[in-house]
Amino acid sequence: MLTLMVGFTACGKKEQPTENKKEEHTVVSNEESEIIEDVSYEDGVTYIVLSNNEILVNEERISEEPESDVYKANDIIFYLEDQGITYGEGTAADEHSQIEADAHTVVHITKPGTYEISGTMEAGQILVDLGEDAEEDPEAVVNLILNNADITCTVAPAILFYNVYECAEITDEDDADMNVDTETAGANITIADDSKNTIYGSYVAKIYKSYELNEDGTEVVASKKLHKYDGAVYSKKSMNIYGDTGALAVTAENEGLCSDMHMTIHGGNISIRSGNDGINTSEDNVSVFAMNGGNLNIAVTGETGEGDGIDSNGWLLINGGTVKSFACATSMDAGMDADKGIFINGGIVAAGGNMGAEIAGGTQASALFMGALEAKEKYEVKDAENQLILEVSPRNACTMLVVSTETITEEGAYTLWLGNEEIAAGMPGTMEGADVGRFPGGERPERFSEGMEPPVEWGE
């Protein structure tokens, strides 16, 4: 029986975003001061309107002075081409020219607060950097409200939280566990209600801060990292994502949403199409990814040749919401993968790949189906009475599918159907000792080359 109850130990309490008092601002357009419209702004919110020509901050042209709360510069961190082995670990595919980098505008946010982002920036980045001491300052918190924002960055992450408060008290793997509360985290994204936001982001391969060469000087044998940011949206500290009716579509050359520590999705309609992992939390044996609500749709397109749907180097918790996550169709990856275990306590889950997502525990049961499933076909999960439990349309072809809903029990018998054809019988999702690391029959079907370009859709 799955009887583990997951609790949370708070490292502080932060109120979630709420409505603030509003001020009325009169907008005029001619010598007679004819009133064109009244615009309402919330107290304590800084409004950033993106544009390819002119960026506005609270209706004023953005500053270029680094002392400002918000300023712009052409100083993006990226992986420069033709630098040799002592520069970093990037390959030719990771490199960019200085000309391409210089075309990008970086919007720097340097002070704690709430910033609403709207408008379009076709070559740029939002960079949050509150200073070197921010990690230990509980006030070093930034909330980015995405309100119909469209941001493209072809050389680095489109949004990068660089220096903010880290709420996690435990960073040592010997003391770490899954009971983490990220409410006071310094990195926060809120998807505004009824908004549609698009992010296209690249990544930065590892750049060395220091290095050593082997005896003949032909290979780096030891190095210290200066920069490495794998995701289209990247945080070096724990990160929250909030939302309700708004949508966020992320297209990533490498990984989609990434955190060096923990990440919690509380709501919103999020679609990710990524060349590698759709979501990654990367601190070995420490990080926790938690899904508490909202809709999450992930398809790994496989441009990098691999990628899990959700990959946590620590724990992965599904406490609520809907998760549809599909790994790279041509690699041995899973719809969900976690080094310290996957725990499902609620919500609706459909996760597919070519590796089984071993469910370590939780309060909600799951079922695993094995068989060659086609991309974009509509499959039905049914119980022993032939009643429909769940419809699943894989974004990518896969051979293993894990499903979980509140109606699935460990004692139940479940089957997977395509039309009138029974495809597979379900097994308990806790596959301890099961041979889940192989393609059924030992062969990889040719059909795995299909379905590798799933569309980014608004929360479907």
Side-chain angles (χ1 to χ4, degrees):
M1 295 293 291
L2 301 179
T3 57
L4 178 64
M5 183 70 72
V6 179
F8 294 92
T9 302
C11 56
K13 181 72 173 177
K14 183 189 77 174
E15 295 297 322
Q16 294 187 17
T18 58
E19 288 197 16
N20 298 310
K21 179 181 178 182
K22 295 186 177 181
E23 293 182 6
E24 299 295 328
H25 295 260
T26 300
V27 179
V28 298
S29 66
N30 55 32
E31 295 178 358
E32 291 76 29
S33 298
E34 177 186 353
I35 295 177
I36 303 300
E37 62 177 326
D38 286 334
V39 181
S40 295
Y41 295 117
E42 292 185 1
D43 261 350
V45 178
T46 300
Y47 292 83
I48 302 173
V49 180
L50 304 175
S51 169
N52 296 326
N53 299 316
E54 184 175 77
I55 298 171
L56 300 180
V57 179
N58 290 339
E59 298 184 312
E60 301 289 337
R61 181 179 299 175
I62 191 171
S63 172
E64 296 185 20
E65 299 298 327
E67 295 78 17
S68 303
D69 292 1
V70 182
Y71 73 96
K72 73 171 184 176
N74 292 95
D75 57 351
I76 196 163
I77 298 168
F78 72 105
Y79 199 96
L80 182 61
E81 64 185 358
D82 301 329
Q83 297 302 298
I85 63 171
T86 61
Y87 179 70
E89 294 182 356
T91 66
D94 306 317
E95 296 178 350
H96 300 278
S97 70
Q98 188 68 55
I99 293 175
E100 183 184 2
D102 287 344
H104 286 71
T105 298
V106 180
V107 177
H108 291 256
I109 295 174
T110 68
K111 296 294 189 296
T114 298
Y115 299 82
E116 181 180 290
I117 313 293
S118 63
T120 298
M121 186 162 57
E122 293 181 353
Q125 179 188 74
I126 306 297
L127 174 64
V128 179
D129 185 354
L130 306 189
E132 295 181 356
D133 298 329
E135 179 179 6
E136 298 180 358
D137 180 3
E139 301 301 316
V141 175
V142 166
N143 181 35
L144 298 182
I145 301 175
L146 301 182
N147 192 359
N148 296 310
D150 184 349
I151 307 170
T152 297
C153 186
T154 63
V155 300
I159 297 175
L160 174 58
F161 289 93
Y162 191 75
N163 281 315
V164 292
Y165 175 58
E166 177 52 71
C167 71
E169 296 178 358
I170 297 174
T171 58
D172 188 293
E173 64 179 85
D174 293 334
D175 299 320
D177 61 30
M178 73 179 77
N179 301 317
V180 171
D181 185 348
T182 62
E183 280 191 312
T184 60
N188 301 277
I189 292 175
T190 296
I191 307 168
D193 281 350
D194 302 320
S195 67
K196 290 185 175 182
N197 305 276
T198 56
I199 299 293
Y200 179 93
S202 187
Y203 60 98
V204 179
K206 185 176 181 179
I207 299 173
Y208 299 142
K209 182 176 182 179
S210 61
Y211 62 90
E212 295 179 12
L213 295 174
N214 63 7
E215 291 183 358
D216 64 7
T218 60
E219 185 178 353
V220 175
V221 295
S223 65
K224 185 174 181 180
K225 180 179 70 175
L226 178 62
H227 299 293
K228 185 177 186 291
Y229 315 115
D230 293 331
V233 177
Y234 197 95
S235 179
K236 293 179 68 177
K237 309 301 178 185
S238 294
M239 177 170 66
N240 293 304
I241 299 178
Y242 299 95
D244 188 8
T245 60
L248 172 62
V250 177
T251 302
E253 287 187 33
N254 191 33
E255 296 181 350
L257 304 177
C258 298
S259 170
D260 280 351
M261 189 55 71
H262 309 304
M263 184 190 309
T264 305
I265 295 178
H266 300 274
N269 301 295
I270 303 170
S271 295
I272 300 173
R273 188 178 74 181
S274 58
N276 205 298
D277 298 338
I279 288 176
N280 182 267
T281 52
S282 62
E283 185 67 16
D284 289 343
N285 301 314
V286 174
S287 287
V288 177
F289 170 79
M291 178 79 179
N292 291 337
N295 299 296
L296 177 61
N297 292 274
I298 298 173
V300 178
T301 59
E303 278 88 349
T304 64
E306 62 181 353
D308 297 308
I310 304 172
D311 182 10
S312 175
N313 289 8
W315 289 267
L316 194 162
L317 312 180
I318 308 295
N319 301 314
T322 298
V323 175
K324 298 176 182 177
S325 179
F326 293 91
C328 175
T330 57
S331 62
M332 296 299 291
D333 289 295
M336 300 186 297
D337 180 55
D339 293 348
K340 302 292 286 186
I342 299 169
F343 295 80
I344 302 178
N345 303 299
I348 299 171
V349 178
N354 300 316
M355 287 283 288
E358 180 178 332
I359 310 303
T363 60
Q364 181 169 290
S366 59
L368 172 67
F369 299 94
M370 302 175 66
L373 307 185
E374 302 279 5
K376 302 178 184 177
E377 292 283 6
K378 184 177 289 186
Y379 296 90
E380 295 181 337
V381 178
K382 297 182 179 181
D383 63 16
E385 284 73 44
N386 209 37
Q387 297 297 307
L388 178 65
I389 299 296
L390 184 67
E391 290 185 347
V392 179
S393 183
R395 293 296 183 93
N396 294 335
C398 58
T399 57
M400 298 192 182
L401 176 70
V402 172
V403 298
S404 180
T405 73
E406 64 179 2
T407 57
I408 289 178
T409 66
E410 282 197 315
E411 293 78 17
Y414 302 96
T415 50
L416 186 68
W417 294 75
L418 178 60
N420 295 321
E421 180 184 2
E422 182 178 331
I423 303 299
M427 296 173 284
T430 308
M431 292 291 293
E432 295 182 4
D435 187 9
V436 296
R438 299 179 181 175
F439 295 101
E443 298 293 332
R444 182 172 64 188
E446 293 181 1
R447 63 175 60 93
F448 280 10
S449 62
E450 301 174 6
M452 292 184 64
E453 294 295 336
V456 173
E457 298 169 355
W458 300 112
E460 293 187 0

